[in-house]
Amino acid sequence: MSDRMWLGGDNQGDPRVQCHHCDRGFDPQQAYRIIVHESMADYTCPWCQQTVSADPPLGVIERPPSIVNTSCTIDDDGLHTARLFFEGGAWLQFRETDNGWVREEMFTPTGEEYESFATEFDREDCDPPVDYLNEEANRYTTYTKAGLRIQRPHIAAVLLKR
């Protein structure tokens, strides 16, 4: 079976993507992540979460607010914090704690902490905060609004208020 397939179209003019992994079709806007290349696109299937390649979408991809800046700081105790700043003023940070954990923390534009949790369950597997920042920044640019809501709900809750 071909890696590049289409199934008909939807009411907005974008053809449906056919996933050959689970044999289901979906509209491009339903994909969790979309990476557009020159003549094709990679879509994350909302059903099986596998990647399938197809023609690029015809319409505009509904993306969440952009990342506008990053920062990496070291506090007086030598602990690192890496931050992603989004359009509208909210930010996501990965903060090293004094007991060896790295915490992922989401903040609203007013500085109110929305969500916080450890990035790993095993302290021995924790990467430095800047590694988490780079991984998230690379992944974030591929999300659709639908994908962010499903795969990173604590970020979507702050950035996609509607």
Side-chain angles (χ1 to χ4, degrees):
M1 186 172 268
S2 169
D3 278 352
R4 297 182 66 178
M5 298 184 72
W6 288 109
L7 242 187
D10 68 10
N11 59 2
Q12 296 174 347
D14 252 343
R16 291 175 56 84
V17 177
Q18 177 67 33
C19 179
H20 63 273
H21 299 285
C22 68
D23 203 30
R24 296 173 102 173
F26 57 93
D27 293 329
Q29 291 301 334
Q30 291 176 294
Y32 289 171
R33 297 170 62 192
I34 300 175
I35 301 171
V36 179
H37 305 284
E38 242 179 73
S39 62
M40 61 178 279
D42 294 328
Y43 299 87
T44 302
C45 175
W47 306 109
C48 68
Q49 297 188 23
Q50 297 294 313
T51 301
V52 62
S53 296
D55 291 329
L58 300 174
V60 174
I61 301 167
E62 291 185 9
R63 301 276 192 194
S66 297
I67 295 171
V68 295
N69 203 359
T70 62
S71 75
C72 296
T73 59
I74 302 173
D75 69 13
D76 293 338
D77 295 325
L79 301 174
H80 295 81
T81 300
R83 292 185 179 106
L84 290 173
F85 296 94
F86 301 96
E87 286 178 306
W91 73 91
L92 175 69
Q93 72 181 23
F94 299 95
R95 181 180 54 83
E96 185 178 22
T97 65
D98 56 4
N99 63 0
W101 293 100
V102 174
R103 296 201 58 83
E104 180 175 338
E105 301 166 329
M106 187 69 199
F107 292 86
T108 67
T110 61
E112 180 183 342
E113 186 174 339
Y114 180 78
E115 184 76 46
S116 176
F117 49 87
T119 57
E120 298 289 347
F121 293 111
D122 181 355
R123 191 178 319 186
E124 302 301 317
D125 285 341
C126 277
D127 292 325
V130 71
D131 289 353
Y132 290 109
L133 174 125
N134 290 332
E135 182 181 328
E136 186 62 33
N138 290 333
R139 181 176 46 210
Y140 183 84
T141 60
T142 67
Y143 280 122
T144 61
K145 284 184 176 182
L148 190 67
R149 283 186 175 107
I150 299 297
Q151 295 189 323
R152 304 291 277 153
H154 63 292
I155 297 173
V158 173
L159 298 180
L160 309 176
K161 294 176 184 127
R162 44 185 169 110

